[in-house]
Structure formats: structure tokens, C-alpha cells
Amino acid sequence: MLFRSSLIETLSVTAANQVLFQGPVVLSGDLNVTADHIHLLASIDTTAGAFDGQIRLNGETEILVGDSSVLMVGQATIAIDGGGGIIDTSGSTLHSSANSTAMVFRNASQLTFGNLNASSGQVVMGVDQDLVGPTTQSSKAIMLIDRLQVSSSSSLDLSNQANDFRSLEQVALDGELKIHDAAGDLAVQSMTTAGFDATLTAAGAIVLTQQAVDATGAVVRLTAGKEIVDGDGNAAT
């Protein structure tokens, strides 16, 4: 099924095999797509109506968002469920200005990101450890995320040098963790790596809540441009 250029209200598409978008789509409502293969090779804007629309993608084998496309949902949510397959947004920019849940990515064998802008809201990567393969970002990708929540049975590498995270709310992995924050302080509320190594770097301070890090048997490396503050409020040098 092929879509080229549209200006419509709400669009719901279901196909047994493939859905392909090759032209820009502007909506005044939601976009819902369900298919084995979903390829978004064009920009999607769901902000043309009185209320911003959500984007919901449900795949099985592959969800690809690429070709320099931009997904823009205003204050709504982008929700992508890989159905156990690959999610790849490495050639795109995803933008949500929601203050609550801005983006959700789940149920994937591999998760690769391009640019993400959720500077006011929460980004959820995985639910009940349903990310079973590595989570990474393309080499030039930039993430602007206010609050990050991760649940994965594999590794996470979000260490690009221009990333900006404000808070790691709850990060639970069965794999190695690498996160770089290039601007300001980084708050760590809960981080578990099941014995795998963890590396956090921040341009400002790293602020840990009490018992924030559980990495028994692993090597944990914390590097801060300012101080590292532990759960009782004391600064370590």
C-alpha cells in the first residue's frame, strides 16, 4: 500500500504486508498504521487541527522511518511497537513537545534512533524488558530528552556527544549501559544493569538519589564536568 501526498483528518491504515509513505502527510487528527513492514520515507505532521494528533505505528518485521523525514506531533505522543521486529528511525527526526509521555518505543529485536526531540517530556524505551536486542543511535544523531525510562533485556548505547538528558527516571537493563549528557546536570533516580558495566558522563553534575545504582559485580564509571552528588546530598570528587 502506497501513500504519496495527503491533507486529511485522521488516517488509519492496516495492511497484511507493507505500508509505504513516500510523500508528506499533514493531518488534523491521529495517524494509526498496522502492517508487517512499515516504511515512512516522508514527513508526517499531525498538528493541523484544533488538537494535536498522535502517531501510532504497529509492525511485526520492520518499522523504518528514514529519508530525512520528520515526525511532528506537537503536544501529542509518538508510539511505536515493533511487534518483535526491528525499529529503525536512524534517518529521521521525531519531535514531541508533550510534557507527559512524549514517545514510547517497545517490543523490538533491535532499536536504532536518529534525532529525538522530547525536551519537555518522558521517553519510554521498552516495557517489561520487551527490547530484546541492542538500543543505539546513529553516529550523528542528537537526543534531547527531559526524562528517560528504559526496560531492556539487552544493552543501551546513547553516548553521542551532543545528547542532552535531564533525568534517568528508571533504567533497567540486562546489558551494558552508556549514556552521555552534553548539557547541564544529569539526575539518576534508578539504574540497574544486572551485573553489566555502566558508563555515565555529564557536562554538569551527576546527582544520584539514594540507592540509585544497582550494578553488582560490574564496573560503573561516572564522569561529571562538575560534582557527583550521592543520595545523602554529599559531593564526591
Side-chain angles (χ1 to χ4, degrees):
M1 185 175 291
L2 171 66
F3 286 87
R4 291 196 179 275
S5 181
S6 312
L7 175 54
I8 51 181
E9 189 174 343
T10 294
L11 178 60
S12 295
V13 181
T14 300
N17 190 9
Q18 182 184 64
V19 172
L20 171 64
F21 287 80
Q22 287 188 325
V25 176
V26 179
L27 304 172
S28 58
D30 297 341
L31 173 66
N32 302 296
V33 182
T34 299
D36 187 24
H37 295 262
I38 300 173
H39 291 178
L40 300 188
L41 306 181
S43 293
I44 311 291
D45 185 342
T46 62
T47 66
F51 301 97
D52 298 330
Q54 299 188 52
I55 293 178
R56 303 182 188 92
L57 307 179
N58 297 284
E60 292 185 11
T61 299
E62 179 186 46
I63 296 177
L64 172 65
V65 186
D67 204 22
S68 300
S69 59
V70 177
L71 304 190
M72 181 78 67
V73 296
Q75 296 186 21
T77 302
I78 297 172
I80 301 180
D81 186 328
I86 294 171
I87 298 174
D88 184 352
T89 71
S90 60
S92 68
T93 297
L94 279 56
H95 188 283
S96 170
S97 57
N99 293 318
S100 54
T101 302
M103 301 180 192
V104 179
F105 307 89
R106 60 170 307 180
N107 199 11
S109 60
Q110 180 177 313
L111 182 54
T112 307
F113 287 109
N115 298 323
L116 293 188
N117 189 334
S119 58
S120 300
Q122 180 193 63
V123 173
V124 177
M125 300 179 184
V127 177
D128 295 331
Q129 293 194 310
D130 62 2
L131 300 181
V132 299
T135 297
T136 60
Q137 57 184 148
S138 59
S139 60
K140 296 182 179 180
I142 298 173
M143 289 189 169
L144 307 176
I145 296 176
D146 186 62
R147 306 181 307 280
L148 179 63
Q149 181 174 310
V150 182
S151 180
S152 172
S153 58
S154 186
S155 60
L156 178 84
D157 186 351
L158 305 178
S159 58
N160 285 6
Q161 293 303 298
N163 290 338
D164 183 1
F165 303 96
R166 188 183 68 83
S167 175
L168 306 183
E169 286 189 327
Q170 186 173 10
V171 177
L173 305 175
D174 284 342
E176 186 176 4
L177 179 147
K178 296 179 182 179
I179 288 180
H180 178 77
D181 173 40
D185 299 339
L186 177 64
V188 182
Q189 298 182 29
S190 177
M191 186 179 76
T192 304
T193 64
F196 291 89
D197 295 349
T199 302
L200 295 182
T201 60
I206 295 178
V207 182
L208 306 170
T209 61
Q210 288 189 345
Q211 298 180 338
V213 179
D214 182 356
T216 304
V219 175
V220 178
R221 301 177 180 87
L222 305 179
T223 303
K226 296 181 180 179
E227 67 269 20
I228 297 173
V229 182
D230 64 18
D232 59 10
N234 295 324
T237 57

